[in-house]
Amino acid sequence: MAAYDYDLFVIGGGSGGVRAARVAAALGKRVGIAEEYRFGGTCVIRGCVPKKLFVYASQFPEHFEDAAGYGWTVPQARFDWPTLIANKDREIARLEGIYRNNVQGAGGETFQTRAVLVDRHTVRLEAEGRTITADQILVATGGRPALHPALPGHEHCITSNEAFHLAELPKAIMIEGGGYIAVEFANIFHGLGVATTLVYRGTEILSRFDMDLRRTLHETMETKGIRILCHSISEKVEKRPDGRLDVTVTGGEVLTVDQVMLAIGRTPNTEGLGLEAAGIETGVTGAIEVDAYSRTNIDNIWAIGDVTNRVQLTPVAIHEAMCFIETAFKDNPTRPDHETIATAVFSQPEIGTVGLSEDEAVKRFDEVEIYRATFRPMRHTLSGRQEKMLMKLVVDAKSRKVLGAHILGPDAGEMAQLLGIPIKAELTKDDFDRTMAVHPTAAEELVTMYKPTYRVKNGKRID
Ligand code: FAD
């Protein structure tokens, strides 16, 4: 008889947990996985997927406007929020089923329950009122939106979780935060016709991205009509008799809005998880501490994804799951690689980026060449839209390696995915130069910027 009920028990049925459970089950391991809310986790249920569906919905008004220049007359468009929510919910329910079935189809057992560690080999399934034992345990419980208990009136605020289920589309919204979730939702709500104000305590939105992208996106969002207040925070939120909210921001200005959305960071889901009982160490943010192989200080317990607060992205959680499988079940110790991760911000216009920003490259390399182009994409010529596209390559002058690529404009996310390959492969600017352009595209600019726009030598710009 086996010593444990399972070879692997996974706590959390999100991007990382489901992948690990499915692949381990397909290897013939006895696998169980518990999910307390909905299989699919943040990404599928209240993150990437519904967010992108909202982005698509919010882009139609610009498409309708642009159509005129191409000869189309579009009758007065009307938007129905409940239809969007219902259609989105149907798609999410379909995906949720697929995620659960994928684990079961591979031979894993799924449990609809909160799971809590009792000791290093025992897990309590709360909804079933029983415990199970496992040889290996994987914690993949993700994170949740950070709340702001110090803000007077914080109880009137929503987070991204609620934004996906609002009964009514607000007429005016204030979003607090400057990260990608805040920026994406500001564009979504604005696109859907909501008067939108973004309030951010920092100097410029989207810290850690290339400054050129940050500034240009900021300007473009303002030109579209989104109000952005940097160096600013909300000081109190008060409910008015008519149900609307008065938000006092830095400097005393009062914004009257229908919703206040906080997007001020995410907190790892580690509270009440029994980590102390199992002897697992956490860091200052509450995230589980792991080694380079995603192993906690308890050698049969592992943690992956957002709960470890390394890089909070779905493909990273999935990659960490695959590395965990190699290490724990295939006798092939594999460290997740967190270098040079291509990523997108689904703002409008979109950001696609991979590798080092100019500022970061200048800190690390003696001489850096910057190839930069701004231009009006062809599709904006007949439409009359004035928005510019920005493309930038950051190159190490000595080795000629392309260190970073940064794009602002239509389909930038799609381009970043492909640019991730040459930049991960450490190809040089000469490789880019000898690549034939695809014409007419916007992306051809990436292989036709032959002369550096400027160089930065020992921190000083040389034109
Ligand atoms: P999660 O997907 O969060 O899954 C954890 C699961 O564990 C949850 O389902 C939770 O209910 C469950 N759970 C927690 N505690 C327990 C317990 N004790 N017992 C049982 N179950 C438990 N990433 C991208 O790459 N691209 C994007 O465009 C993108 N957009 C995003 C937009 C928003 C609004 C948000 C919030 C996130 C977005 N992300 C995006 C991030 C992405 O969703 C996460 O990085 C990813 O989901 C992390 O996967 P995970 O497996 O670590 O955790």
Side-chain angles (χ1 to χ4, degrees):
M1 211 176 104
Y4 301 106
D5 301 327
Y6 295 95
D7 298 317
L8 171 66
F9 198 87
V10 181
I11 306 181
S15 307
V18 164
R19 174 59 66 97
R22 176 168 70 75
V23 178
L27 288 175
K29 304 293 170 193
R30 295 167 307 142
V31 177
I33 177 170
E35 166 55 50
E36 68 175 347
Y37 180 54
R38 294 177 69 182
F39 276 91
T42 303
C43 175
V44 174
I45 308 297
R46 42 199 185 186
C48 335
V49 176
K51 181 268 306 277
K52 190 87 188 268
L53 295 175
F54 276 17
V55 169
Y56 287 134
S58 68
Q59 288 171 336
F60 281 96
E62 287 195 356
H63 296 330
F64 298 146
E65 270 173 39
D66 293 353
Y70 287 90
W72 291 93
T73 303
V74 180
Q76 183 66 41
R78 272 188 53 248
F79 173 66
D80 186 53
W81 173 255
T83 302
L84 172 64
I85 298 289
N87 289 348
K88 179 264 297 174
D89 286 346
R90 195 174 318 115
E91 173 60 7
I92 299 307
R94 186 182 74 84
L95 293 173
E96 180 187 4
I98 290 174
Y99 272 72
R100 189 190 292 101
N101 292 343
N102 279 348
V103 177
Q104 294 170 346
E109 231 182 308
T110 57
F111 297 93
Q112 189 66 57
T113 175
R114 180 168 174 78
V116 174
L117 288 160
V118 177
D119 62 39
R120 58 184 293 167
H121 286 291
T122 312
V123 176
R124 189 169 64 246
L125 306 180
E126 304 244 298
E128 308 204 355
R130 67 182 178 105
T131 57
I132 57 89
T133 58
D135 181 18
Q136 304 293 313
I137 294 174
L138 178 67
V139 182
T141 50
R144 61 184 186 280
L147 302 176
H148 191 352
L151 172 69
H154 65 93
E155 65 278 9
H156 304 307
C157 303
I158 61 166
T159 67
S160 58
N161 282 354
E162 292 74 38
F164 290 118
H165 298 284
L166 292 175
E168 273 175 37
L169 182 66
K171 289 195 173 51
I173 192 165
M174 189 213 95
I175 298 175
E176 179 141 15
Y180 78 94
I181 295 176
V183 168
E184 289 175 340
F185 271 94
N187 283 279
I188 288 168
F189 280 115
H190 169 76
L192 295 176
V194 180
T196 303
T197 308
L198 185 64
V199 172
Y200 177 46
R201 65 178 176 181
T203 316
E204 185 54 280
I205 56 171
L206 293 176
S207 63
R208 297 202 300 273
F209 285 78
D210 187 90
M211 191 49 102
D212 245 343
L213 297 181
R214 298 165 67 187
R215 283 206 198 101
T216 315
L217 178 64
H218 181 142
E219 283 164 23
T220 313
M221 284 169 63
E222 283 189 329
T223 308
K224 284 178 195 278
I226 300 172
R227 192 164 174 228
I228 303 178
L229 307 175
C230 286
H231 300 292
S232 189
I233 56 166
S234 53
E235 291 178 342
K236 63 177 173 187
V237 180
E238 292 165 302
K239 195 157 207 155
R240 298 157 36 117
D242 63 3
R244 303 190 82 200
L245 301 170
D246 281 339
V247 195
T248 308
V249 296
T250 303
E253 186 186 349
V254 177
L255 310 172
T256 302
V257 294
D258 303 291
Q259 296 288 353
V260 176
M261 175 176 152
L262 300 177
I264 52 174
R266 294 187 54 84
T267 308
N269 283 328
T270 48
E271 280 158 25
L273 195 55
L275 297 182
E276 310 75 20
I280 297 174
E281 284 166 7
T282 53
V284 271
T285 59
I288 295 180
E289 302 260 304
V290 288
D291 68 10
Y293 299 91
S294 303
R295 196 191 289 262
T296 70
N297 59 308
I298 303 298
D299 67 5
N300 71 307
I301 303 187
W302 312 71
I304 55 166
D306 285 7
V307 75
T308 62
N309 198 18
R310 287 175 281 181
V311 181
Q312 298 187 354
L313 290 171
T314 287
V316 175
I318 291 173
H319 171 68
E320 289 168 0
M322 297 305 281
C323 294
F324 155 72
I325 294 287
E326 290 294 322
T327 306
F329 295 116
K330 290 177 137 182
D331 200 19
N332 176 30
T334 306
R335 296 161 174 242
D337 176 1
H338 294 110
E339 285 297 312
T340 319
I341 296 171
T343 188
V345 179
F346 295 100
S347 45
Q348 298 168 40
E350 204 166 289
I351 281 180
T353 184
V354 54
L356 298 184
S357 66
E358 176 180 337
D359 289 345
E360 204 49 50
V362 164
K363 275 189 223 151
R364 296 198 209 171
F365 294 84
D366 294 341
E367 188 173 345
V368 170
E369 292 177 350
I370 304 296
Y371 298 77
R372 185 184 188 279
T374 52
F375 56 96
R376 210 164 151 208
M378 194 196 247
R379 73 194 228 182
H380 291 341
T381 52
L382 296 197
S383 72
R385 187 167 294 284
Q386 292 303 317
E387 254 169 66
K388 290 264 176 71
M389 189 146 190
L390 168 67
M391 290 197 178
K392 181 168 171 179
L393 294 178
V394 179
V395 176
D396 171 26
K398 198 161 153 212
S399 67
R400 310 283 299 139
K401 276 184 196 156
V402 179
L403 305 170
H406 310 285
I407 303 166
L408 178 76
D411 305 319
E414 305 288 339
M415 290 182 221
Q417 178 64 84
L418 298 179
L419 282 165
I421 301 167
I423 294 183
K424 189 81 189 165
E426 303 190 3
L427 296 192
T428 63
K429 182 65 173 60
D430 307 320
D431 296 313
F432 277 60
D433 290 348
R434 61 194 179 81
T435 301
M436 196 68 76
V438 178
H439 184 73
T441 62
E444 68 184 296
E445 207 67 33
L446 292 164
V447 294
T448 52
M449 295 189 285
Y450 298 115
K451 290 255 175 295
T453 315
Y454 57 92
R455 293 161 195 275
V456 185
K457 198 169 178 182
N458 300 323
K460 275 217 181 86
R461 180 170 160 159
I462 311 164
D463 284 308

